[in-house]
Amino acid sequence: YDGGDCDDFNQKYPNCTVENPSWVGDGVCHGGDYNSKVCGYDGGDCDDFNQKYPNCTVENPSWVGDGVCHGGDYNSKVCGYDGGDCD
């Protein structure tokens, strides 16, 4: 197990099987499996995002409200029109 580097992660999130465990709890809200209950909603990184946009399921939640208007699902009512970036 990577010389013990993953022990803390595996103890906190035993059922979280993401490709990059170091992204969990790194301060950036990642989408997909990272933003799930078993991964602690990305180690808490997605708590604010999920509270503001509970039905927004975009691939890169950190893009919402980043100052750039992204199209597609980002520019939708459930994603706050990209967190206000597309107003």
Side-chain angles (χ1 to χ4, degrees):
Y1 295 155
D2 199 18
D5 292 345
C6 296
D7 289 346
D8 186 47
F9 176 84
N10 290 334
Q11 186 175 16
K12 286 182 181 177
Y13 312 107
N15 298 311
C16 181
T17 57
V18 291
E19 186 173 340
N20 297 294
S22 63
W23 291 4
V24 175
D26 69 350
V28 177
C29 177
H30 302 281
D33 291 340
Y34 295 89
N35 188 11
S36 65
K37 185 175 182 176
V38 296
C39 293
Y41 301 101
D42 200 12
D45 293 340
C46 294
D47 289 348
D48 289 339
F49 174 83
N50 291 335
Q51 185 175 357
K52 288 180 183 176
Y53 312 106
N55 297 311
C56 181
T57 57
V58 291
E59 186 174 342
N60 297 295
S62 62
W63 290 6
V64 175
D66 68 350
V68 177
C69 177
H70 303 281
D73 291 339
Y74 296 88
N75 189 14
S76 65
K77 185 174 183 176
V78 295
C79 294
Y81 301 101
D82 200 12
D85 293 338
C86 296
D87 287 345

